[in-house]
Amino acid sequence: MNGYDVYCKAMTGDQWRGWWVTWPPSSRVRLGDVLDRQDTVRRAGSLADRGVSFVSEDGAPPSLFVYDSNKSVSVRFKAAGAAPDPLSGLSAVDAGASVTFQKENTAFVVFRGIAQTGIADVRSLANDLATLWWNKAWDESLLAVTSVVSARGGTVLAAAAAGATAELKVAASAGVAGVLQLADLALDASVVHRSALGAEWTGSDVTPFYQVVRLRENWRGRVHAEYGPRQPGHGALPSALPPLLTEEIRDDPAAVLGPVDEGEQRPFAPPRGG
């Protein structure tokens, strides 16, 4: 199992079930982004590019998220000024921590300064996306980002083998009265030594989790069967949805627009030329 799979499985198994995991974590995801999911996830503009506007609303997630694979990960802190262990990658003036994994394919994750925002009116979004699709301006592979979790900083480590280790260096100012906590490993951290890691990442101002929706396949199939081929688009004046479809969307938007299961997520495609 590669580091991406280990991380995704860990994150979507409990608290973030139903969310997609940004990979690599340095990839930024914004509310209203449009993505094209195939073998990888590629950016395809935004809802605003397609004339779709929305109102956002804030959620209330916990400000700190820590995951340690069911207590199979141990963390030992080192305060600035304390003598380092032999063979340590930390110097005496460094503050940091050593992380040890007892099992393979396990993860240690810390995100700090978490915030959440989402699209408030899903009914309006369902109508807008259905109208775009009706006018051949929305493809079946496209996804709309409807909720985003951001974090001021984070650390992601995944073990490729039992006994994997990592040493993290943090800012000397971290901690209260020189006492470090797990939250301090999420800001201004860097990996200075590693052994048998499958994945490692540290960074700031990230969007580690997001949710996407798409037009349901059974709804599209039924509309095609009842109304025939969709109307022309891409340059032609847009056609309004038939009144009956508009009424259906108003009554039950969830029958038209649905979430995409986390099992279908893919990592982002590498940048062009990268």
Side-chain angles (χ1 to χ4, degrees):
M1 188 180 294
N2 61 35
Y4 164 72
D5 291 331
V6 170
Y7 176 50
C8 285
K9 182 179 179 181
M11 294 300 94
T12 58
D14 188 12
Q15 181 168 341
W16 301 107
R17 186 180 301 276
W19 291 79
W20 280 27
V21 178
T22 308
W23 190 267
S26 55
S27 300
R28 295 298 300 272
V29 182
R30 294 175 174 81
L31 194 66
D33 277 354
V34 176
L35 307 176
D36 190 342
R37 176 205 172 277
Q38 297 185 33
D39 292 336
T40 55
V41 174
R42 296 184 180 275
R43 302 183 186 278
S46 67
L47 293 176
D49 295 338
R50 294 162 170 79
V52 177
S53 60
F54 57 84
V55 175
S56 63
E57 61 181 0
D58 294 333
S63 61
L64 175 68
F65 172 74
V66 178
Y67 180 88
D68 65 353
S69 288
N70 297 320
K71 311 300 182 182
S72 67
V73 179
S74 60
V75 179
R76 189 154 48 94
F77 295 102
K78 176 192 173 300
D85 291 337
L87 305 179
S88 171
L90 298 171
S91 70
V93 298
D94 293 329
S98 62
V99 181
T100 303
F101 297 83
Q102 276 76 50
K103 300 178 181 179
E104 66 177 349
N105 296 332
T106 51
F108 173 74
V109 180
V110 184
F111 286 110
R112 179 176 177 177
I114 296 174
Q116 179 183 341
T117 184
I119 293 178
D121 190 351
V122 177
R123 180 176 285 102
S124 177
L125 179 63
N127 187 81
D128 289 342
L129 295 190
T131 300
L132 288 173
W133 177 79
W134 179 260
N135 286 280
K136 294 187 177 180
W138 185 268
D139 296 331
E140 285 77 1
S141 65
L142 295 181
L143 313 172
V145 176
T146 55
S147 192
V148 169
V149 167
S150 61
R152 288 175 54 205
T155 290
V156 175
L157 304 173
T165 60
E167 278 192 319
L168 295 167
K169 177 183 176 181
V170 300
S173 59
V176 178
V179 178
L180 292 175
Q181 300 180 2
L182 289 175
D184 296 312
L185 303 183
L187 289 179
D188 298 323
S190 59
V191 179
V192 296
H193 178 75
R194 78 278 293 157
S195 174
L197 287 185
E200 65 177 77
W201 174 88
T202 60
S204 60
D205 297 323
V206 293
T207 48
F209 310 110
Y210 61 101
Q211 291 179 320
V212 291
V213 296
R214 64 182 170 200
L215 292 173
R216 292 187 182 276
E217 183 178 359
N218 57 357
W219 180 83
R220 292 186 282 104
R222 181 175 62 81
V223 171
H224 183 81
E226 293 181 2
Y227 292 90
R230 289 177 288 152
Q231 302 300 311
H234 300 298
L237 292 175
S239 300
L241 286 173
L244 183 59
L245 291 182
T246 300
E247 183 178 342
E248 289 178 355
I249 294 171
R250 183 178 64 248
D251 292 342
D252 188 10
V256 179
L257 198 64
V260 185
D261 185 83
E262 67 270 13
E264 296 188 48
Q265 67 182 317
R266 298 291 184 271
F268 277 89
R272 295 181 184 274

